[in-house]
Amino acid sequence: MEPGELTERVKSLALAVGFDLVGVAAAEATPETEALRDWVAAGYAGEMDYLVRRVEERVDPRRVLEGARSVLAVGLCYDPGEPPATAGDSVGRVARYAGGEDYHDVVGDRLQALAAGIEALLERPVASRCYVDTGPVQERVFAARGGLGWIGKNTCLIHPTLGSYVFLGVLLSELPLIPDAPEPDHCGSCRACLDACPTDAFVDAYVLDARRCISYTTIEQRGEIPEALREGQGELVFGCDICQEVCPWNTRRGRPLPPDPLGLRERLRPRAEWVRPALRWILALDEEAWRAATRRSPLRRARYRGLLRNALVAAGNSGDAVLRPWVERHAEGEDSLLAEHARWALERLPG
Ligand code: SF4
């Protein structure tokens, strides 16, 4: 099959297995992938040692798969919308992507189906690797080069009509697929995301210091959350969407999401308990209840102790005296990390 027809057939397969977006980039090092070296050297990766360890693979995908020629980038929209306002209990908030089934499973499973579909199409084994946030490939960079959108000043990939609430995956392979044209940058003079970040995590437009980002401090960071960043965390207990929520490419709603015949968005839809989780519910979870509440969920990544730590910060920020007994329990507990965050919260709760 000649490359033009092969590319079209493979893209059709990607849409048939449930992806909303698909594009192709050449498997090669680019100025954007090479920028990772400086970013890591500046220390912006914080404790994410896995980024530091495999930088050279992240710079050039041919180091991941010898003989790789193309990167097929795919996208799946997931935006469940603004969580509803609540009255009564003080509640926390989790990032919009995190309340449903783990996207690694949903997107990863579809990528495997795509890889199998390609082999069936060509009637031969195809050397390939699939990644969704799980391997040494910079998905965003290849998605942008493959025309799925541009990387905004908030460092997210933004599609011109579907916005940035999109899971990305890549299929790196030996196939000589024809690259797409990249989408131009449409950020213009806007800087809404840079100004809205409550922890000043952007060193500059397009440059994030992960160590100050709430998505990093509440998920990746294992120890204490720096005091200077706690107030900015507000009610967030896992991740953050603020730089996406203010982006005009997300707020211009009204556009329909693509059809979802396989029910993938349904699987990603936040479970009721995580839409606006009551802080006292989180603070009262024991490890077994936490395990049940986070089964097959991306929330697991913060671990039990991390989620409680985050909820203690949110409790302190709530100013809700009703939470005192739930916070006091941790202030008097044996876990010194939780006890310190609980004492911090108690100083902010009246009574
Ligand atoms: Fe770009 Fe503005 Fe969106 Fe930031 S908020 S990513 S500057 S369009």
Side-chain angles (χ1 to χ4, degrees):
M1 202 179 297
E2 55 87 27
E5 186 189 350
L6 176 65
T7 305
E8 287 317 306
R9 299 279 294 270
V10 168
K11 283 181 172 177
S12 299
L13 267 177
L15 299 175
V17 299
F19 292 112
D20 299 317
L21 303 170
V22 59
V24 176
E28 61 188 10
T30 70
E32 297 90 345
T33 58
E34 286 171 351
L36 184 70
R37 289 196 193 104
D38 289 342
W39 187 79
V40 163
Y44 297 147
E47 294 171 12
M48 293 185 280
D49 293 341
Y50 57 91
L51 287 179
V52 180
R53 276 197 303 271
R54 301 183 74 178
V55 167
E56 290 312 317
E57 284 163 274
R58 287 172 199 278
V59 166
D60 189 339
R62 290 167 299 192
R63 286 174 177 260
V64 179
L65 177 68
E66 210 184 312
R69 297 173 75 181
S70 64
V71 182
L72 187 77
V74 291
L76 178 65
C77 302
Y78 65 85
D79 183 14
E82 179 79 13
T86 54
D89 274 354
S90 285
V91 292
R93 194 161 169 179
V94 307
R96 295 184 188 202
Y97 76 83
E101 190 175 331
D102 197 332
Y103 66 96
H104 296 99
D105 296 338
V106 177
V107 177
D109 165 64
R110 294 295 81 204
L111 278 170
Q112 293 302 335
L114 175 58
I118 292 172
E119 293 197 343
L121 172 71
L122 297 178
E123 298 177 333
R124 67 170 175 87
V126 174
S128 69
R129 298 273 187 286
C130 298
Y131 296 113
V132 44
D133 229 6
T134 43
V137 177
Q138 299 188 58
E139 285 96 344
R140 256 178 326 170
V141 171
F142 291 103
R145 288 186 85 83
L148 268 61
W150 75 99
I151 297 178
K153 292 178 189 174
N154 62 3
T155 73
C156 296
L157 182 105
I158 306 173
H159 182 273
T161 56
L162 297 172
S164 65
Y165 296 111
V166 179
F167 291 124
L168 298 174
V170 290
L171 187 146
L172 174 64
S173 79
E174 59 173 65
L175 298 177
L177 303 180
I178 297 179
D180 285 289
E183 177 75 25
D185 186 328
H186 298 293
C187 281
S189 58
C190 176
R191 49 173 293 123
C193 53
L194 310 180
D195 295 337
C197 179
T199 50
D200 289 327
F202 294 103
V203 183
D204 207 342
Y206 308 101
V207 184
L208 178 76
D209 182 348
R211 296 169 301 182
R212 297 187 65 84
C213 175
I214 296 167
S215 288
Y216 169 81
T217 56
T218 60
I219 301 173
E220 302 292 335
Q221 189 164 312
R222 294 291 167 236
E224 69 170 42
I225 294 176
E227 274 203 53
L229 303 180
R230 292 182 193 175
E231 212 174 296
Q233 190 182 313
E235 62 181 0
L236 292 159
V237 296
F238 184 96
C240 175
D241 292 313
I242 292 172
C243 67
Q244 296 189 84
E245 284 169 344
V246 300
C247 177
W249 298 91
N250 285 327
T251 53
R252 281 182 211 149
R253 302 307 300 174
R255 54 193 169 226
L257 287 175
D260 179 29
L262 302 179
L264 302 180
R265 266 187 279 287
E266 187 56 30
R267 289 169 62 186
L268 294 163
R269 200 151 61 92
R271 300 170 190 160
E273 63 267 38
W274 291 114
V275 174
R276 297 290 271 163
L279 289 174
R280 58 180 173 172
W281 171 67
I282 299 178
L283 292 173
L285 287 173
D286 60 23
E287 204 157 344
E288 204 181 319
W290 166 82
R291 210 170 285 119
T294 58
R295 203 172 66 86
R296 301 182 64 130
S297 157
L299 290 154
R300 277 270 168 104
R301 185 153 180 92
R303 303 186 186 173
Y304 172 62
R305 206 170 167 230
L307 184 68
L308 288 179
R309 173 202 62 186
N310 301 342
L312 287 165
V313 172
N317 289 331
S318 75
D320 182 356
V322 170
L323 293 173
R324 281 193 76 93
W326 283 271
V327 176
E328 277 163 0
R329 194 188 126 215
H330 293 289
E332 292 153 11
E334 285 177 2
D335 187 317
S336 58
L337 175 78
L338 297 184
E340 188 278 318
H341 285 74
R343 286 193 297 274
W344 179 89
L346 287 171
E347 282 168 21
R348 279 150 188 86
L349 296 179

